[in-house]
């Protein structure tokens, strides 16, 4: 039944009267330009909505006919705690308490293909995940966990070859053959070049690695998902829902074509492709995003030649948003995560990770992990959302929003295809810059208070509660890993190891053979993760990205803001009196590649008039100190996310003192527990800007420090 013109006009008149004087919302940061109306009616339903059946292409309403009414989603908690032994203990406890699958988080040294004794990873070992140097570590990680029964998800992209090889060998030595293994390896390198940056090799050999893994798993590991195409990290970097949707599916198209170029039949491997989306706080947008993703992927795969309906099915894991978690009033994060989890479930996810409430401050504790896990158990057992397939199906708003996202993302994908595909677009840096622009716009809206974040820019606590946090002793973990590496190298058959590594190098160089198969042989011979990575690096090289910073976002968004005008005037007066701009070096030390915060600060400060120098990713404290001294900057902004601040920032300050550059002020920003603030200040840090810090406040603090130091100069 449709709405008559007379009835519609009556509603419109009432709505216009009630909404008079209300400013229209800027929807760009949430919906990516999809227009949102204040009310929807039957006339707004798209034609395809009536045709959609759960379990049938295009799978808008779900990939199975019965969905959760027959079987709930898989509860996975993404976790890794410093050592394989500690992580194993956590996994076994979680499985006993209701978790259904494992999801492994690796430390940054492992991600970047370095053994724990490498000089570039001193502050990274055991931070943000588990350190894996050898098959022996992998065996300990899964000790007592039957790998022929347990589905294992591994978030790994850069060092995907050695990690997957060691997983296969650890299973073999547990008595489990490759064909019995189930789970997923992320193996999505294009998004690493866009946002997350835990790459090792350049794009072309990285795509070859993906094709080799798809080929090997299609033949020998039929139950294992060879790739998880990830939009989550785009979401975390600030992408709009439509950007995340379009860029993720465009990445997927590239991977399918890479496998087809190897001569693989699309229906032979497409059923083992999976996806991974982030779920944020715009509830209905996230529901519609998942429904739109399934709709688009079914059409895409049909166009690429798929004939089997299973090949057209988009199956996805989801994770609640990390970027929506706040350091301020952190118990609010429990509520945020519950709403995000509900959106993922109503959107039809196949598995789900719920973030812990303390992750904007530090790695999660067992207490906070239990709350996160119980959030899913409560949704499963108490809310009754599993009783009905696609409960929001038929909603005027949800169906229209789904269709509009399909159309808008489809347009973006068509534009990417017209430019030569996603690999070319990534190589040119276009998606990265678009995401960074969206992130900067979003930050300006939060800083201005246009987007309310409870406890951050409104309803703030007078005094924050102190939380118990998980503290990893990086030096102790690294010492243990280094000793284990010595034992591995001393006890192995070195001749067999060298021969296996030589074969791997030959496969990389000649393109004859499969890289994963050769790496499995090397892992059996007890080659380490770093040695396997190095063997390929000798042929492929190591990728060094070019850092670009967008401009104009802050000056545009803050054009009439008096506080912004005041700081720009302050910077201009400094330039007038000092005959130069105040200068700052933004540094990312260690192997953490998440650079959203660093890029936002660089963009904002440059728009305010600072002379901004942004360093390369993965710098050492020595490299940052040298560049800062050479550039004669006033300040260094050290961005930290993965708990390396306790090691790397004090080392940087000591190096500046040794270089007679103690006049350079060091500011720390990012995920830093308040319990660590005093130690950093004692080490010489000028100020600390945690998550949720207003960028204008940060700029004023930096200017005050620079001006104060100049006044105190002799």
């Amino acid at each position: 039944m449709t709405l008559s013109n007379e009835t519609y006009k009556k509603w419109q008149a009432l709505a216009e009267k009630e909404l008079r004087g209300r400013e229209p919302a800027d929807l760009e940061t949430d919906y990516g330009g999809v227009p949102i109306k204040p009310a929807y009616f039957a006339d707004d339903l798209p034609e395809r909505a009536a045709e959609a059946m759960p379990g049938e292409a295009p799978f808008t309403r779900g990939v199975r006919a019965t969905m959760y009414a027959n079987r709930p989603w898989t509860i996975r908690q993404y976790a890794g705690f410093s050592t394989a032994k500690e992580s194993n203990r956590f996994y076994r406890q979680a499985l006993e308490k209701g978790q259904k699958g494992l999801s492994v988080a690796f430390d940054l040294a492992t991600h970047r293909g370095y053994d724990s004794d490498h000089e570039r990873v001193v502050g990274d070992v055991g931070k943000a995940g588990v350190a894996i140097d050898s098959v022996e570590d992998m065996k300990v990680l899964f000790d007592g966990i039957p790998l022929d029964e347990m589905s294992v998800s591994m978030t790994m992209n850069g060092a995907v070859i050695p990690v997957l090889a060691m997983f296969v060998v650890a299973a073999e030595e547990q008595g489990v053959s490759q064909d019995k293994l189930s789970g997923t390896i992320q193996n999505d390198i294009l998004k690493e070049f866009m946002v997350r940056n835990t790459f090792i090799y350049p794009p072309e050999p990285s795509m070859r690695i993906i094709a080799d893994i798809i080929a090997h798993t299609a033949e020998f590991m039929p139950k294992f998902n060879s790739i998880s195409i990830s939009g989550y990290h785009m979401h975390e970097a600030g992408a709009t829902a439509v950007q995340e949707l379009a860029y993720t599916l465009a990445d997927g198209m590239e991977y399918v074509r890479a496998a087809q170029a190897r001569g693989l039949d699309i229906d032979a491997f497409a059923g083992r492709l999976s996806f991974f989306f982030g779920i944020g706080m715009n509830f209905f947008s996230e529901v519609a995003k998942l429904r739109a993703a399934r709709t688009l992927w079914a059409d895409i795969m049909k166009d690429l030649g798929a004939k089997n309906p299973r090949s057209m099915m988009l199956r996805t894991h989801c994770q609640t948003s990390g970027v929506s978690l706040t350091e301020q009033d952190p118990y609010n994060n429990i509520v945020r995560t519950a709403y995000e989890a509900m959106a993922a479930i109503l959107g039809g996810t196949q598995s789900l990770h719920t973030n812990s409430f303390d992750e904007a401050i530090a790695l999660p504790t067992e207490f906070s992990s239990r709350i996160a896990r119980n959030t899913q158990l409560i949704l499963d057992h108490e809310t009754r959302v599993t009783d009905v397939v696609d409960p929001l199906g038929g909603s005027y708003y949800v169906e229209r929003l789904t269709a509009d996202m399909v159309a808008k993302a489809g347009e973006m994908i068509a534009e990417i295809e017209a430019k030569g595909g996603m690999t070319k677009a990534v190589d040119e840096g276009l998606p990265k810059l678009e995401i960074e622009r969206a992130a900067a716009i979003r930050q300006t809206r939060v800083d201005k208070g246009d987007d309310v974040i409870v406890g951050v820019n409104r309803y703030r606590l007078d005094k924050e509660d102190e939380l118990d946090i998980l503290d990893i002793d990086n030096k102790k973990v690294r010492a243990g890993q280094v000793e284990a590496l010595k034992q591995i190298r001393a006890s192995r058959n070195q001749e067999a190891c060298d021969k296996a590594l030589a074969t791997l190098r030959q496969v990389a160089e000649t393109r004859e053979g499969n890289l994963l198969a050769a790496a499995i042989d090397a892992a059996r011979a007890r080659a380490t993760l770093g040695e396997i990575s190095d063997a390929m690096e000798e042929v492929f090289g190591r990728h060094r990205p070019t850092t670009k910073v967008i401009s104009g976002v802050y000056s545009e968004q803050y054009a009439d803001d008096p506080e912004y005008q005041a700081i720009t005037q302050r910077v201009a007066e400094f330039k007038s009196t000092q005959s130069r701009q105040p200068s700052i070096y933004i540094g990312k030390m260690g192997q953490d590649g998440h650079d959203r915060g660093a890029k936002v600060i660089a963009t904002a400060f440059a728009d305010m008039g600072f002379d901004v120098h942004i360093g390369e990713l993965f710098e050492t404290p020595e490299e940052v100190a040298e560049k800062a001294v050479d550039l004669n900057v006033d300040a260094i902004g050290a961005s930290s996310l993965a708990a390396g601040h306790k090691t790397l920032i004090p080392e940087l300050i000591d190096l500046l003192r040794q270089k007679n550059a103690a006049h350079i002020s060091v500011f720390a920003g990012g995920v830093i527990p308040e319990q660590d603030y005093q130690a950093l200040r004692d080490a010489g840090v000028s100020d600390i800007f945690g998550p949720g810090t207003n960028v204008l406040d940060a700029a004023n603090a930096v200017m005050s420090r620079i001006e104060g130091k100049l006044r105190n100069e002799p």
Side-chain angles (χ1 to χ4, degrees):
M1 178 180 177
T2 58
L3 202 67
S4 69
N5 285 338
E6 184 179 339
T7 306
Y8 183 83
K9 287 178 180 178
K10 182 179 179 181
W11 170 82
Q12 195 172 39
L14 286 169
E16 286 177 356
K17 182 178 179 182
E18 291 182 11
L19 295 172
R20 189 172 297 133
R22 173 181 161 184
E23 290 295 321
D26 178 357
L27 302 172
E28 178 67 28
T29 55
D30 283 339
Y31 297 95
V34 174
I36 303 298
K37 301 192 297 186
Y40 288 81
F41 301 99
D43 288 347
D44 294 303
L45 282 174
E47 289 183 11
R48 287 182 87 172
E51 303 169 5
M53 292 286 291
E56 291 186 2
F59 306 105
T60 308
R61 301 198 63 185
V63 296
R64 296 197 311 273
T66 53
M67 286 299 289
Y68 309 138
N70 178 49
R71 186 178 74 202
W73 64 94
T74 299
I75 299 174
R76 291 187 191 276
Q77 289 304 97
Y78 177 57
F81 292 88
S82 64
T83 66
K85 185 177 180 180
E86 280 297 302
S87 299
N88 175 264
R89 183 181 64 82
F90 176 83
Y91 294 157
R92 292 170 73 163
Q93 287 180 349
L95 292 170
E96 289 170 3
K97 295 175 182 177
Q99 188 170 309
K100 301 300 183 184
L102 296 179
S103 185
V104 182
F106 298 96
D107 75 351
L108 292 168
T110 303
H111 272 289
R112 294 272 291 145
Y114 293 116
D115 284 334
S116 295
D117 57 359
H118 197 283
E119 61 184 9
R120 298 195 73 87
V121 297
V122 172
D124 298 299
V125 176
K127 295 289 190 180
V130 59
I132 297 293
D133 290 317
S134 70
V135 167
E136 297 305 319
D137 287 331
M138 195 70 80
K139 287 169 67 176
V140 171
L141 187 65
F142 296 110
D143 182 41
I145 299 172
L147 292 176
D148 54 346
E149 300 175 14
M150 182 59 56
S151 171
V152 176
S153 172
M154 294 181 286
T155 299
M156 178 52 62
N157 304 280
V160 63
I161 287 284
V163 164
L164 188 50
M166 289 174 183
F167 175 68
V168 167
V169 176
E172 284 178 356
E173 297 186 9
Q174 196 186 85
V176 179
S177 58
Q178 293 185 47
D179 62 311
K180 300 292 192 302
L181 294 172
S182 65
T184 304
I185 189 83
Q186 191 163 100
N187 195 26
D188 175 2
I189 201 63
L190 287 176
K191 67 97 174 50
E192 298 294 330
F193 293 117
M194 271 191 274
V195 289
R196 190 164 174 257
N197 300 314
T198 54
F199 41 70
I200 300 175
Y201 314 108
E204 185 178 346
S206 295
M207 290 296 289
R208 179 189 163 191
I209 286 170
I210 286 170
D212 275 15
I213 290 173
I214 292 173
H216 182 92
T217 53
E219 184 174 358
F220 300 106
M221 302 169 69
K223 296 168 66 177
F224 198 83
N225 297 327
S226 55
I227 189 168
S228 174
I229 305 152
S230 175
Y232 175 81
H233 301 99
M234 301 180 204
H235 173 98
E236 293 296 275
T240 67
V242 171
Q243 284 175 336
E244 180 188 358
L245 180 57
Y247 294 155
T248 303
L249 299 188
D251 282 352
M253 293 168 70
E254 290 291 275
Y255 299 138
V256 170
R257 288 176 179 142
Q260 287 177 312
R262 288 287 305 271
L264 294 175
D265 176 60
I266 189 170
D267 287 318
F269 66 85
R272 303 315 310 174
L273 304 179
S274 68
F275 285 79
F276 175 25
F277 287 100
I279 303 295
M281 282 300 292
N282 190 323
F283 188 87
F284 290 104
S285 171
E286 300 302 335
V287 172
K289 180 177 74 183
L290 296 185
R291 300 172 94 251
R294 291 192 293 271
T295 307
L296 278 163
W297 189 244
D299 289 344
I300 287 168
M301 291 300 281
K302 189 175 181 180
D303 289 343
L304 290 172
K307 295 180 176 58
N308 187 336
R310 181 174 172 78
S311 300
M312 305 174 199
M313 187 187 296
L314 182 146
R315 297 163 299 112
T316 191
H317 172 70
C318 289
Q319 180 171 336
T320 59
S321 176
V323 76
S324 69
L325 303 177
T326 65
E327 177 187 40
Q328 299 86 350
D329 206 356
Y331 290 110
N332 290 340
N333 295 331
I334 299 172
V335 181
R336 293 186 179 102
T337 295
Y339 285 131
E340 291 170 347
M342 177 73 89
I345 291 158
L346 294 182
T349 189
Q350 278 58 70
S351 65
L352 179 63
H353 165 90
T354 33
N355 285 332
S356 300
F357 71 86
D358 51 359
E359 289 187 55
I361 301 165
L363 295 172
T365 62
E366 289 189 19
F367 169 72
S368 63
S369 295
R370 176 171 60 84
I371 292 175
R373 183 171 55 252
N374 285 348
T375 298
Q376 294 196 51
L377 292 170
I378 290 166
L379 284 168
D380 183 3
H381 295 289
E382 298 185 34
T383 65
R384 306 305 296 265
V385 294
T386 60
D387 290 352
V388 178
V389 178
D390 191 25
L392 295 180
S395 157
Y396 301 153
Y397 173 38
V398 171
E399 295 291 0
R400 181 74 262 165
L401 184 53
T402 300
D404 288 346
M405 284 192 167
V406 166
K408 190 72 176 179
E411 289 174 11
M412 291 181 67
I413 292 170
E415 291 171 3
I416 292 166
E417 288 290 285
K419 292 177 180 177
M422 200 60 173
T423 301
K424 186 174 181 182
V426 167
D427 196 43
E428 293 175 357
L430 298 177
K432 185 178 183 71
L433 290 176
E434 288 300 315
I435 291 172
E436 287 172 1
R437 176 175 173 77
I441 292 172
R442 169 69 171 167
Q443 186 62 46
T444 64
R445 291 184 57 80
V446 172
D447 287 348
K448 291 164 66 179
D450 295 339
D451 291 344
V452 175
I453 309 296
V454 174
V456 175
N457 59 6
R458 202 179 294 183
Y459 313 114
R460 292 199 62 158
L461 292 175
D462 293 331
K463 185 179 185 302
E464 296 284 346
D465 296 328
E466 188 169 313
L467 291 178
D468 290 330
I469 63 166
L470 180 67
D471 187 29
I472 301 295
D473 187 342
N474 162 246
K475 292 181 179 178
K476 180 180 178 181
V477 173
R478 185 169 186 263
Q481 292 296 125
V482 170
E483 182 58 34
L485 278 166
K486 289 178 181 177
Q487 292 177 14
I488 285 281
R489 290 173 182 143
S491 61
R492 69 190 178 188
N493 182 328
Q494 192 61 46
E495 183 180 351
C497 182
D498 290 343
K499 183 178 179 181
L501 289 171
T503 300
L504 176 60
R505 279 191 292 273
Q506 185 178 16
V507 171
E509 192 167 7
T510 64
R511 304 183 72 92
E512 295 178 5
N514 186 289
L515 290 166
L516 177 57
I520 290 171
D521 288 339
R524 289 191 186 110
R526 292 316 190 253
T528 68
L529 176 131
E531 289 166 345
I532 293 172
S533 296
D534 287 347
M536 292 187 290
E537 185 180 340
E538 288 175 27
V539 179
F540 299 149
R542 185 171 278 264
H543 181 64
R544 295 178 67 88
T546 301
T547 303
K548 298 178 182 177
V549 177
I550 60 172
S551 63
V553 171
Y554 270 76
S555 56
E556 179 184 319
Q557 297 291 317
Y558 275 94
D560 300 319
D561 185 88
E563 289 186 39
Y564 181 78
Q565 291 172 351
I567 184 62
T568 55
Q569 181 61 32
R570 186 176 181 183
V571 172
E573 288 173 359
F574 181 96
K575 182 179 180 181
S576 177
T577 58
Q578 300 296 322
S579 300
R580 65 176 181 85
Q581 297 165 274
S583 59
I584 185 168
Y585 186 92
I586 308 295
K588 284 286 297 180
M589 295 181 290
Q591 299 305 306
D592 169 32
H594 295 83
D595 59 354
R596 172 182 177 161
K599 289 291 185 67
V600 166
I601 290 295
T603 294
F605 276 47
D607 281 1
M608 294 173 201
F610 282 79
D611 181 19
V612 175
H613 306 272
I614 187 162
E616 295 180 7
L617 289 169
F618 317 122
E619 291 183 318
T620 64
E622 177 68 35
E623 289 165 343
V624 171
E626 283 183 5
K627 291 179 182 177
V629 171
D630 289 344
L631 292 165
N632 196 26
V633 298
D634 298 296
I636 297 172
S639 175
S640 175
L641 182 72
H645 56 273
K646 293 171 71 174
T647 305
L648 300 173
I649 294 177
E651 183 180 342
L652 170 64
I653 293 170
D654 285 343
L655 287 165
L656 290 173
R657 288 171 179 153
Q658 293 171 27
K659 296 175 185 294
N660 297 317
H663 61 280
I664 298 177
S665 300
V666 176
F667 296 85
V671 179
I672 300 174
E674 190 169 354
Q675 289 92 320
D676 292 348
Y677 280 17
Q678 192 56 53
L680 289 176
R681 290 187 176 114
D682 291 344
V685 170
S686 297
D687 209 340
I688 302 161
F689 307 126
T693 299
N694 185 292
V695 175
L696 300 186
D697 292 343
N700 275 307
V702 171
M703 279 303 301
S704 294
R705 186 70 176 184
I706 293 172
E707 291 166 343
K709 285 215 168 186
L710 286 174
R711 282 194 297 269
N712 292 331
E713 284 182 357

